Amino acid sequence: MANSSVKRLLLIVTGSHLRAEEVDRPLAYYLRNEIERYLETLDDAGGLQVRVVSDLRWLHDEVFQEMPTISLGGHGVNLLAHRWLEELPFSMDVNNQYFVQMDPDLTEPKVSIWGKDNPTTQLAVLAFVNRFLPRFIECCFLETSDPVDLEDFD
C-alpha cells in the first residue's frame, strides 16, 4: 500500500519576524490557494503539494533547500529573501516598488516575491500569479527532487 504522506512539495517561505507573520503569512496562504487552483486545471498535478513554512525552518532543514521554493516578503523580514537578494536576478521591477526575482530561464525553481511594503507585496504576488505562475509550475515538475514523507516534518 502506498504511503499517502509521501508527496512532492512546493514551499512558500515567509519570514519569522512578527510583521511578516502578521501580513506576509496570510498573503502566503492566498498564494497557496492560487497555486492549488491552478494545479486543479492541469491533467496531472504530479502529486505536488504546497506548504507554507517559515524562513528559519527552511534555512535549517537542508532537504527543504532542494525543493521548489517561493520566498514571500522583503529582505528586512524574511531571511531567505535577504539571502536571495544578491543571488537571484530581477525578472520584474515595477517602479522600484515591487519585485519578482527569479532566473528568467527558470533553470531552478526559486523565486522571491516582495514589495516595499505590504500593499506593494500584494501587487507583486498578483503579478507573479498572472505572469509567471504557469512557467514556474512547469519548472517545478521538471525538478528532480525526490518525494518526501510529510510525517518527517511534523
Side-chain angles (χ1 to χ4, degrees), residues 8-150:
R8 292 192 183 282
L9 293 180
L10 163 57
L11 302 175
I12 302 173
V13 178
T14 63
S16 302
H17 188 278
L18 289 177
R19 181 74 177 147
E21 288 289 342
E22 180 182 355
V23 296
D24 291 339
R25 187 166 286 269
L27 189 54
Y29 288 116
Y30 166 80
L31 178 57
R32 181 190 68 185
N33 290 341
E34 289 298 306
I35 293 168
E36 289 173 343
R37 187 165 43 199
Y38 177 75
L39 290 172
E40 288 173 2
T41 69
L42 303 177
D43 290 335
D44 180 16
L48 189 64
Q49 297 288 307
V50 185
R51 297 289 187 266
V52 176
V53 299
S54 75
D55 54 356
L56 293 175
R57 182 71 189 265
W58 191 93
L59 290 167
H60 288 99
D61 279 324
E62 288 184 22
V63 69
F64 281 3
Q65 296 172 26
E66 300 300 318
M67 296 178 186
T69 301
I70 299 171
S71 173
L72 180 62
H75 52 87
V77 295
N78 183 329
L79 294 172
L80 180 56
H82 186 267
R83 175 187 278 187
W84 284 354
L85 185 60
E86 299 296 325
E87 290 181 27
L88 293 178
F90 285 82
S91 291
M92 177 185 286
D93 175 345
V94 177
N95 298 324
N96 219 19
Q97 294 297 306
Y98 61 91
F99 312 87
V100 175
Q101 289 181 260
M102 63 185 205
D103 177 359
D105 297 326
L106 281 170
T107 56
E108 52 186 339
K110 294 180 180 178
V111 63
S112 185
I113 305 169
W114 56 283
K116 293 290 185 178
D117 53 25
N118 185 257
T120 56
T121 300
Q122 291 176 31
L123 292 173
V125 168
L126 291 174
F128 172 76
V129 168
N130 291 326
R131 291 187 60 185
F132 301 109
L133 182 61
R135 283 186 48 229
F136 182 76
I137 295 298
E138 183 179 314
C139 179
C140 292
F141 290 141
L142 297 175
E143 176 65 22
T144 58
S145 65
D146 295 325
V148 296
D149 189 340
L150 297 180

